[in-house]
Amino acid sequence: MTENEIILAGEGEMLAFGHRLAALVRIGDVIALEGGLGAGKTTLARGILEGLGLEEEAPSPSFAIVQPYDIPEVRLPVAHVDLYRLDRPEEAEELALDEYLMDSLLIVEWPDRLGEGAWPEALRFHIGIELDGARRLTARAPDAWTERWSQI
């Protein structure tokens, strides 16, 4: 597992970073986005989705919890998940999120709602807000991402 910090000055840089990630993702990957309200989790997810070819603006899945995207609107299937409204990890069981990993990329906001052990092989980003409004991404890349991470 490698850990890196990245500073992104604004929304445009966050979206561009998402585009770079999109070039490297594969079916079965999990990208876990952590951080407080307004940190930029959904913006990063939108950047990834745009990078995968989504032309319309991706809505936040806060109310739907799971927002799926399929080919041809994106180059590979994606499930964008927002677990903010879950109170207990057991509530996620009916969502069958692991089933998406068979044929999709999984982007998960608020993964901590499922507990510390959820998706140990996920590419994790903790997004913090700097005093100047920039975003500090602390990335934890698992071994499966070692080679790909060097391309970012």
Side-chain angles (χ1 to χ4, degrees):
M1 174 104 35
T2 59
E3 190 167 303
N4 296 293
E5 287 198 351
I6 302 157
I7 303 291
L8 301 173
E11 183 176 345
E13 286 189 19
M14 182 76 83
L15 291 170
F17 183 73
H19 286 218
R20 291 195 307 272
L21 277 175
L24 304 172
V25 296
R26 301 175 184 155
I27 287 174
D29 283 341
V30 177
I31 298 178
L33 305 176
E34 305 166 344
L37 287 170
K41 297 177 296 296
T42 300
T43 301
L44 182 52
R46 285 181 176 140
I48 296 167
L49 289 162
E50 284 176 11
L52 291 171
L54 188 67
E55 293 180 5
E56 60 200 45
E57 185 170 325
S60 172
S62 294
F63 294 102
I65 300 180
V66 178
Q67 179 65 49
Y69 298 91
D70 278 311
I71 297 169
E73 82 183 319
V74 287
R75 77 170 167 81
L76 59 86
V78 179
H80 182 193
V81 181
D82 185 330
L83 300 176
Y84 181 73
R85 295 184 359 190
L86 299 187
D87 293 321
R88 296 180 327 277
E90 300 78 37
E91 293 178 49
E93 289 175 14
E94 66 188 54
L95 300 174
L97 297 176
D98 286 337
E99 290 182 21
Y100 285 102
L101 296 178
M102 289 184 256
D103 62 3
S104 302
L105 161 68
L106 197 57
I107 302 171
V108 183
E109 297 184 39
W110 300 95
D112 54 308
R113 301 285 196 201
L114 296 185
E116 290 297 315
W119 300 300
E121 293 301 311
L123 174 60
R124 293 187 177 274
F125 292 98
H126 183 275
I127 306 170
I129 303 172
E130 299 291 290
L131 292 176
D132 63 359
R135 300 307 195 254
R136 177 182 302 269
L137 276 66
T138 303
R140 289 180 310 234
D143 294 340
W145 271 87
T146 301
E147 186 177 314
R148 290 183 278 169
W149 188 253
S150 67
Q151 299 173 44
I152 292 180

